[in-house]
Every structure is written in C-alpha cells, then in structure tokens.
Amino acid sequence: MSTVLVFLEAKSGVPTRISLEAFAAAAQLAASSGAQLAAAMVGSASGPGFALLGGASQIFALEHLLLEHYTADGYTAAYAQLIARVQPDYVLFPHTYEVRDFAPRLATRLGRVLISDVTGFQASAGQILFMRQLFQGKLNGHYHAASPAPCLISVQAGAFRADAPAATSVPAATFAPELEASAIRTQPGEPFRAAAQTVDLASAPLLVSVGRGIKDEANIPLVQELATALGAELAASRPICDAGWLPMERQVGSSGQTVAPKLYLAVGISGAIQHLVGMKGSQCVVAINKDENAPIFEIADYGIVGDLFEVVPALTAAVRKAKG
Amino acid sequence: MKIIVAIKQVPERDARIRIDSAGKWIALEDIEFRMNESDAYALEEALLLREAHGGEVVVLSAGPERVGQTIREALAKGADRGIHIVSDALSGYDALGVASLMAAAIRDEAADLILTGLQSDDLGLGQTGVILAELLGICHASLILKIEKSDSGIRVLRELEDGWFQHIDMSTPALLTIQSGNTKLRYATLMGIKKAKTKDLRVVEAAALGVSATPCVLLDSVALPSRQKTTQMLTGTPAEAAAKLVEKLQQEVRVL
C-alpha cells in the first residue's frame, strides 16, 4: 500500500496550526489516492502532540539531541533517513520558514524538486495536479510531478482547513536518525524579538493599511487623515516599513502582525500572498487600487478601481461628512 | 572575498499579466523586464561586503539574450564581471535543472560566498539558491538580512516569523538567500554605466554545460485566479465611489 507522509512542526510540543492544515491536506491526498497516512514530528514519542494525530496509521517521533535546535543540515539528514525507511509516494510539509529553508535541499538530495507553497490539488486524467500562485498571486499555476515517487509538496498557510485535532490510539514510534555533529555546518543562535511592540494592531477594530501605491513618504499623511476620520489605526505592507516610512510594528503580513479587524481598508496594496496571510481573516475587506487585476480584489468585499490620490481624499471627505 | 551573486531577470512588477495562446505562460510581448527585487538586495549586500573587506563580485544569470541587459545593469552598479548562461528554452528546466546549470557554470570559480534573492517575483519558488548550495556541497542559510565577517567565517541575521530574528554562525564557503528591504539600493552612476561596457562578461551556452533538461516537475498550465469572494465593485467618479463606500460602511458593515 502506498503512503502519504506528512511532517509537522510543534511549538511547546503541540503541532502548529499550519502543521495541522498540512496534516489535513495529507489526509485528503491519502484518501483520494487510496494511500495510508503517516505523520512525523520532531520530539519525544511520549510528548502530548503525538496523541493528537488521529487518522494517521503510522506516527514517527524524530528524536535526536542534534534536532533540538533547527538546522538545515540536521533536518535534511534526519528527514532523508525517515523517507528512505517509509518509502512514501508523497511527502507533505507546512510551508513555513523552516521548511522553505531545508525542504529544497532535501528534495535535491533525493533527486527531486519540491512543489512549494501549494494552495490546492485535484485529480485529472490519472495524475494529481497541484496548484500554486505565480506573480505574487496574479496568476495560478498547475503543476504535476514527472519523476518517480516520492513527490514533495509544501502547503500554504490557510489553504486547507485544519479540523480540531483528533485523539489517536496509534502509539508514536521513536525514529532516531544517525546524525554527526560535524555534519552540521551552521550554529543557530537563540531567536529574539526586535523592539517591544507599542501598537497592538491585532486588537484594533478598524484598520487603514497602506502599500507601495502611495509612492512616497510625503504622501503618508493622506492615508493617516483617512484613518483619523474613520477612527482607525494605520497599518502598512512590508515595503512601506522597509523604507522606514512607517515603523515595523505597523506591518501586517507573514513577517509582521496577523490581524482580523471588522474593517480592513487596503490602500494601494496589490495583495502579495505574504500580505494576505496576515489579514485575510478580516470581517470586511475594502480595496482601493489602480490595477483592476490586483490580487487584493480576489478577497475584497468592496473594491474601488482608481487613483488612490483622488479616491482617498474623496473618501476622507465623505467619511467626515457622514460623521457630521 | 570572492562573491558570486545569482540574479534573475523578471517581468516588471506592474506588468499587465495576459496568458499566452498555449495557456502555459504569460504573453511576453510588450513586457518590460528588470532585475528581480530580492536579487537586487543580494547584489547590494555583495557590493557592501567588497567595499568593507575587498575581493571580487561576480554576477551570474541564466536566460535568453535580453538577460545580458540586466547583467550589464549589475556591472554598472559595481560588480566586477559577469557570467551569462544563455538559453532560449530555460522554461524547459525546473528549479533543479536551472540550479544544475548554475552549479556547472561556477563550480571552478571556488567562491567564498554565493548570494541570491529569497525568491523570484515571477515563479516565486524560493528554491534555486538552496538547491544550488546542495549541488555544490556547501552550507546555506535563507531569509538573510545582514552579513558580517567573523573569525571563523560569517555571522548572519536571519528573519523568522512574526517579528522574530536569529543570528547564525557559519563557515565559508556558504550560500545565502537575501531578504529584500534591509538596505538602500544604490543607483548606477554615469561612470558606472560607462565602465560596465568594458567589463568582462563570459557567455556560456546552456547546452554546453552537460545538464539534463528532463524536469522532475512540470508546469502544465496557468490561469487567472477566480475570486474567492464576490467583490462588489463601486464605480463612478472618485466622489461617487467614495459616497457609495460610505453608505456600505454605514448600512452593511456598520462601522460608521
């Protein structure tokens, strides 16, 4: 029987949300191809996270002193050994910063290419097509594996629905890879956070968020005025914070904050996936953009296609008038 | 320090995306091309390192003849020489194929550092650099914001998720993929543009590198995304559209 093997990441011993989404994707893929599901995670087999992988018929706890801190060399070697043991047809990962770091190396070692950042799959003419985004979400691509098993896939955050973890009666088996300290060529330091956050975007009910379309730092007051009129906090996409036009703590997206306000008003933001993952849980999304094909419109409830330098002042005036 | 910077020429960010007649890629007529954004930051980091520690910066790119223009741009910004892997059929290679071409073209250079952008703005695979490291048998780190020389090699600053960072100490040779935005990019000076014309640009035919083009992964087709939500487009003059939106914010969204 063929196998779909999914690797999960844990925080404090519990699988992360995106890992459970990858687990759900792997379960779907296994069901649609009549394969069995196997799951693997770094940690001790007695850890609580391993009891939450209901539906998997094999569970592996990857345990080694050298896996305690993430390194690309350590994870690549360990996962290659488990893949050699399990011989899966498909190997799935959550598309995290760690996976992006080591999975292409792992695929290369196996003579394969990772299909990265997958948003969905469908069976078509006897093969499985995997969807991923191109051009920052302006285009979708359909890929298939042309090489023999295994096929390696990483799954985008939010693309699959993670059900509440189900209890399992399958005990986790310890898999102790053979690793040499001398084969690990990088020494990672302790993770740290930059400055203390003074703005909590996550708790703001209304957000006006500004992107590249604003063109110049001198134009920021234009959106600040709109935010003030609405009683909203000002947020931004990455390029604005990189340029120093607004502080990093106002950044929404995968490298900034994740928000889910009642209203998210995106001004001049095209909607690259790294931004969308940080705000797509918003209750109402309004987008103002000059490009009618900007991906932000795919998730917007209301859209205005136009020049933000005309639309934003008009909107500020209309909001002030409405508020009296 | 000898540094190789792998750069990619991509359609400019605002390019209008139309699908070609075969449905396999975008129509390239009328498209302007430029240097991939995070690759431009990789080049900047390389130039800063050379200014601080001396050495040589070599730019490497693969693609059709038009890619030569992007390599010249890098030379005009200050890179010392270029290597162009020429191919009109690069889309027939997957990421492993392209990285294999690059590995074959630079293996004898024995660089101390190889830098490249985090990911391309077109395919967005974010893999070519890491694959290249594995093919060359050297260590790597991705999502790097800062590079400093240390006694035993280099110390890099890596971006993690949710505003977290980490330092990594590593030996050289090493490959780093660079995140955009940490420094200001320089412009090419008139003098730089003039000098670039006489700098060494080695042209290598992809076919001469002995790399199999048989891909592991195939892009079957591309399609414009369908909207996940029904977006109500509010039309009219800016004032009319603004008035319609305010009405929606009052009546439907109830935030005003």
Side-chain angles (χ1 to χ4, degrees), chain B residues 85-163:
Chain B
I85 302 168
V86 180
S87 170
D88 288 327
L90 213 60
S91 60
Y93 294 81
D94 58 16
L96 178 58
V98 173
S100 300
L101 290 173
M102 292 182 157
I106 62 169
R107 204 176 291 274
D108 294 339
E109 294 274 352
D112 300 298
L113 264 188
I114 302 174
L115 306 186
T116 189
L118 165 72
Q119 64 183 21
S120 62
D121 292 339
D122 53 358
L123 285 170
L125 296 173
Q127 297 194 40
T128 311
V130 180
I131 295 171
L132 182 57
E134 173 72 10
L135 293 174
L136 293 172
I138 62 176
C139 60
H140 83 273
S142 62
L143 276 159
I144 299 307
L145 290 163
K146 250 189 227 168
I147 308 162
E148 290 164 320
K149 253 187 112 161
S150 65
D151 297 339
S152 57
I154 50 171
R155 162 169 272 216
V156 298
L157 178 66
R158 173 163 200 251
E159 181 181 284
L160 307 173
E161 281 150 314
D162 294 327

Side-chain angles (χ1 to χ4, degrees), chain A residues 209-292:
Chain A
S209 193
V210 57
R212 262 179 214 273
I214 198 72
K215 287 189 180 140
D216 197 285
E217 186 174 13
N219 299 326
I220 297 282
L222 201 69
V223 280
Q224 177 65 63
E225 280 169 34
L226 175 60
T228 306
L230 279 164
E233 277 288 351
L234 190 60
S237 66
R238 182 178 184 116
I240 302 302
C241 299
D242 278 346
W245 298 351
L246 285 173
M248 287 291 267
E249 60 186 5
R250 293 198 182 266
Q251 183 179 318
V252 168
S254 58
S255 48
Q257 298 197 46
T258 301
V259 298
K262 279 181 82 172
L263 173 69
Y264 190 88
L265 204 163
V267 177
I269 292 177
S270 68
I273 183 61
Q274 292 83 354
H275 186 75
L276 298 188
V277 296
M279 48 65 71
K280 65 184 178 187
S282 304
Q283 285 174 42
C284 174
V285 176
V286 177
I288 300 171
N289 203 293
K290 67 174 196 300
D291 177 7
E292 61 183 313

Side-chain angles (χ1 to χ4, degrees), chain B residues 22-36:
Chain B
K24 292 220 166 223
W25 193 232
I26 61 163
L28 293 176
E29 305 89 54
D30 313 324
I31 294 252
E32 303 268 333
F33 293 91
R34 61 172 187 90
M35 194 185 304
N36 184 54

